[in-house]
Amino acid sequence: IIDHIFAYVKHISSNYAMCRCKFITTPVFHNQYSLPAGSVIILAGRFINNPPRRQTTMRITKKPFGKTDGQDVYLYTLVNSNGMKAEITNYGGIIVSIFTPDRDGNLKDITLGFDTLEEYTGIHPFFGAIIGRHANRLEDASFTLNGVFYRLNPNEGRNQLHGGLTGFDKRVWSGEIVGESGQESLRLTYLSPD
């Protein structure tokens, strides 16, 4: 997931800014094919100068993005003093957009994504989403762990891709704007029970 976030940031970091993110997991379940699952926390934000020359400020706003399965979904907008803007939804922890200034100072979105929650709740190619419980494919939508065979729901022919029909990208995460050392950060959490 961090590589996924930093892949976006790599385009940004050359002359403008980079993103410092924290990723913490409490492993509850894992095998050779899966990412650690359990309590997952992502802190996004903290765009800082590269190289650091002055203190960069970050502000975050929250607005309704829609509802799914009776749960409210929000769009968080992170804006820093360098002119960058990122939009992240608590539905799947999806990075909806990252706007960065081009060489002329015009903001351009450098991500692939959709404008509405409905487009994300349908079938989509995992644009900007947190992938899990596992990443990639599980052949025949099954695996064996400690001698126990597990059958999963297939979502790509006979295989399971990126956590299946209701992976982390289809879950509503808890979102919280937190202040730390005078900076705002976005904390998204989701508990994936066994």
Side-chain angles (χ1 to χ4, degrees), residues 120-140:
Y120 285 109
T121 59
I123 296 173
H124 68 89
F126 302 94
F127 285 148
I130 294 174
I131 302 302
R133 263 192 139 160
H134 64 85
N136 211 342
R137 289 164 187 81
L138 288 178
E139 186 176 8
D140 295 324

Side-chain angles (χ1 to χ4, degrees), residues 18-62:
M18 59 180 271
C19 177
R20 182 186 320 142
C21 300
K22 295 179 184 175
F23 177 71
I24 305 162
T25 62
T26 305
V28 173
F29 165 87
H30 78 278
N31 65 31
Q32 61 182 337
Y33 303 107
S34 68
L35 294 173
S39 179
V40 178
I41 299 171
I42 292 184
L43 287 167
R46 302 266 186 113
F47 288 103
I48 59 172
N49 276 353
N50 185 16
R53 294 183 183 171
R54 64 183 164 94
Q55 179 66 30
T56 302
T57 59
M58 169 69 76
R59 78 183 152 82
I60 302 175
T61 58
K62 171 183 169 182

Side-chain angles (χ1 to χ4, degrees), residues 15 42 63 104 109:
N15 291 320
I42 292 184
K63 69 179 182 181
D104 299 319
D109 186 1

Side-chain angles (χ1 to χ4, degrees), residues 111-127:
T111 60
L112 295 175
F114 301 114
D115 296 326
T116 66
L117 175 62
E118 290 72 27
E119 292 171 294
Y120 285 109
T121 59
I123 296 173
H124 68 89
F126 302 94
F127 285 148

